Amino acid sequence: MLSKVALAADSIVLFNLENEEEYGPFELVNGEIIEVEDVELKLILEEESEARKALVSRLKTTIIETVNFRGANFETVMRFARASSSEPINIINLLGEEEDVITLQLHNIPAYDFLHYVAEIGGFEIRIDDHAVVFYWPEEWEEWDEDDDEE
């Protein structure tokens, strides 16, 4: 099984999670046929919506002067993140009752990077949709994705 890859401006490398082999680099050209392990795959790129571009831009340009958490719970950190911008950030928590604590000290950091660091520290994933930032467990997202495919 190949891991999902993020869209990039230049090229990508695919990583096979089963045998830990890398394939590529491949140029991101919509409709291009690439061959991986003697299997031809068609690359289909979804257009990024204007709303998502705007949210990503806002997160990257919103600079948080000081982040200082010691043993804070996830909800406390998310309340801070929601209020870190002049326009509140919509954050969706699909993690359930997260009891892990977060310790983080940063200065002059874009909100975009701050949210990614929080996800990395917590061991969960982040997805930026059109109007919200979503935190989720990777294995649960794969289950939801499979349910959508069955319908």
Side-chain angles (χ1 to χ4, degrees), residues 12 31 38-39 93 116 121 150:
I12 60 169
D38 297 327
V39 175
N93 175 5
H116 280 86
I121 289 168
E150 292 172 5

Side-chain angles (χ1 to χ4, degrees), residues 5-12 25-32 43 45:
V5 295
L7 296 181
D10 297 321
S11 62
I12 60 169
F26 301 102
E27 295 298 318
L28 288 177
V29 177
N30 197 25
E32 182 176 336
L43 185 60
L45 302 177

Side-chain angles (χ1 to χ4, degrees), residues 49-110:
S49 72
E50 291 302 316
R52 184 180 185 285
K53 287 179 188 176
L55 178 55
V56 168
S57 176
R58 185 162 54 102
L59 292 172
K60 287 184 175 183
T61 57
T62 298
I63 304 299
I64 303 171
E65 287 185 31
T66 303
V67 173
N68 191 9
F69 292 107
R70 290 216 185 285
N73 67 31
F74 180 75
E75 274 309 310
T76 299
V77 176
M78 289 304 97
R79 275 194 301 278
F80 173 82
R82 284 181 184 104
S84 65
S85 175
S86 57
E87 183 182 335
I89 299 169
N90 295 321
I91 296 176
I92 299 171
N93 175 5
L94 298 178
L95 303 170
E97 293 294 322
E98 183 53 37
E99 295 184 19
D100 287 346
V101 295
I102 296 171
T103 297
L104 187 60
Q105 189 172 20
L106 302 165
H107 298 284
N108 297 318
I109 182 111

